């Protein structure tokens, strides 16, 4: 039996991505392979992080009991979890559920793409210079994203904005998938992103703020 280390499982609104503002059941896994400078879930990545152990059926049963159709699988980094595709296959097999997986861009997304018509939507970060993790990005992932997927650039500096613009153009992302620019909370003013978008005529790109950080305290868990 495959069991998972889960730090949180709760219902709230999506704070970002294509479903921002919509209710979802969040399944947050423990552990990540990156240490980004601005990470807002570092507590979920430590070796001594507290977690509960749940198997596939327990996770599925909890989700169904919430009577919420959207599911967000997140972390940590969900794609490095042992047996993750068994869970994703289970959730994708229920056509009443719409599943999204949030991934940091360092793990191969090919396995998600193979899960069929009702596969999870992919919301993938591309880590920019200020994160300290750009060297871990897999450029091949950017070539695999499809129309229903999203790539998110979290920007903490002018250098980040310039790099995001370069990557967006190099991989023709605007014509491939959803593209979002988001400021590091408290580090880059959103107006700077708006001005950058205007300067570069970034049609089809979305500015996004982390909604949950305006509704609750920025460090609040379980929201």
């Amino acid at each position: 039996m495959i069991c998972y280390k889960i730090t949180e499982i709760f219902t709230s609104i999506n704070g970002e991505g294509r479903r921002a503002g919509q209710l979802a059941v969040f399944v947050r896994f423990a552990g990540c392979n990156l240490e980004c400078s601005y990470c807002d879930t570092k507590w979920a990545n430590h070796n001594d992080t507290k977690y509960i152990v749940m198997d596939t059926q327990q996770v599925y049963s909890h989700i169904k009991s919430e009577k919420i159709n959207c599911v967000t699988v997140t972390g940590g980094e969900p794609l490095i979890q042992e047996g993750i595709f068994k869970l994703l296959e289970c959730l994708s097999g229920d056509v009443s559920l719409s599943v999204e997986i949030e991934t940091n861009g360092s793990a191969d997304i090919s396995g998600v793409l193979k899960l069929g018509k009702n596969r999870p939507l992919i919301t993938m970060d591309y880590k920019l210079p200020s994160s300290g993790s750009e060297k871990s990005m897999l450029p091949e992932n950017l070539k695999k994203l499809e129309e229903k997927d999203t790539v998110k650039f979290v920007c903490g500096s002018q250098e980040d904005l310039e790099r995001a613009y370069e990557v967006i153009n190099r991989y023709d992302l605007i014509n491939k998938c959803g593209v979002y620019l988001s400021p590091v909370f408290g580090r880059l003013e959103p107006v700077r992103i708006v001005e950058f978008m205007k300067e570069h005529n970034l049609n089809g790109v979305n500015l996004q703020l982390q909604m949950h950080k305006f509704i609750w305290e920025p460090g609040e868990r379980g929201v």
Side-chain angles (χ1 to χ4, degrees):
M1 178 185 298
I2 298 173
C3 292
Y4 309 101
K5 297 177 180 179
I6 295 174
T7 61
E8 294 183 306
I9 184 165
F10 62 94
T11 295
S12 186
I13 59 161
N14 270 301
E16 51 194 329
R18 294 197 186 196
R19 294 175 174 166
Q22 295 184 29
L23 286 172
V25 180
F26 287 79
V27 182
R28 186 183 305 283
F29 289 90
C32 187
N33 57 325
L34 301 183
E35 294 185 9
C36 296
S37 63
Y38 51 75
C39 180
D40 52 12
T41 55
K42 285 184 178 180
W43 59 268
N45 304 334
H46 299 155
N47 291 333
D48 60 352
T49 296
K50 294 182 179 180
Y51 58 84
I52 58 174
V53 176
M54 301 177 73
D55 62 30
T56 299
Q57 187 57 46
Q58 288 172 324
V59 174
Y60 177 70
S61 295
H62 178 92
I63 290 169
K64 294 298 286 185
S65 72
E66 293 292 292
K67 303 187 186 309
I68 301 296
N69 295 333
C70 292
V71 181
T72 300
V73 177
T74 187
E77 173 48 50
L79 287 182
I80 66 170
Q81 308 299 324
E82 183 178 356
I84 185 63
F85 292 107
K86 180 69 173 178
L87 176 61
L88 295 180
E89 183 179 24
C90 171
L91 299 181
S92 298
D94 185 336
V95 295
S96 73
L97 297 178
S98 182
V99 183
E100 173 186 10
I101 184 165
E102 296 182 333
T103 181
N104 64 25
S106 70
D108 188 357
I109 62 172
S110 298
V112 181
L113 300 174
K114 296 175 181 177
L115 290 173
K117 185 177 180 180
N118 196 44
R119 72 163 176 85
L121 286 70
I122 298 168
T123 297
M124 188 184 78
D125 278 318
Y126 183 91
K127 302 297 183 183
L128 297 167
S130 74
S131 72
S133 297
E134 187 177 13
K135 66 182 182 300
S136 297
M137 295 298 94
L138 294 182
E140 287 300 312
N141 278 340
L142 295 170
K143 300 176 183 178
K144 297 172 183 176
L145 293 169
E146 299 175 350
E147 185 177 2
K148 71 177 185 177
D149 301 317
T150 296
V151 62
K152 176 164 60 76
F153 297 89
V154 179
C155 305
S157 66
Q158 180 67 26
E159 180 187 13
D160 283 357
L161 288 169
E162 297 289 350
R163 178 59 176 154
Y165 181 64
E166 179 183 346
V167 173
I168 289 167
N169 286 329
R170 178 179 297 178
Y171 294 95
D172 194 27
L173 295 176
I174 294 171
N175 294 313
K176 181 177 296 183
C177 61
V179 179
Y180 288 76
L181 297 177
S182 179
V184 176
F185 190 82
R187 188 183 298 181
L188 184 68
E189 290 298 322
V191 66
R192 183 66 203 104
I193 298 181
V194 175
E195 292 302 320
F196 186 86
M197 291 169 67
K198 289 163 60 178
E199 291 164 9
H200 294 80
N201 299 315
L202 285 176
N203 297 298
V205 172
N206 303 275
L207 166 67
Q208 186 158 79
L209 308 180
Q210 293 177 295
M211 188 181 297
H212 52 290
K213 292 187 178 181
F214 292 90
I215 299 173
W216 297 280
E217 288 296 317
E220 189 79 13
R221 300 185 190 180
V223 296

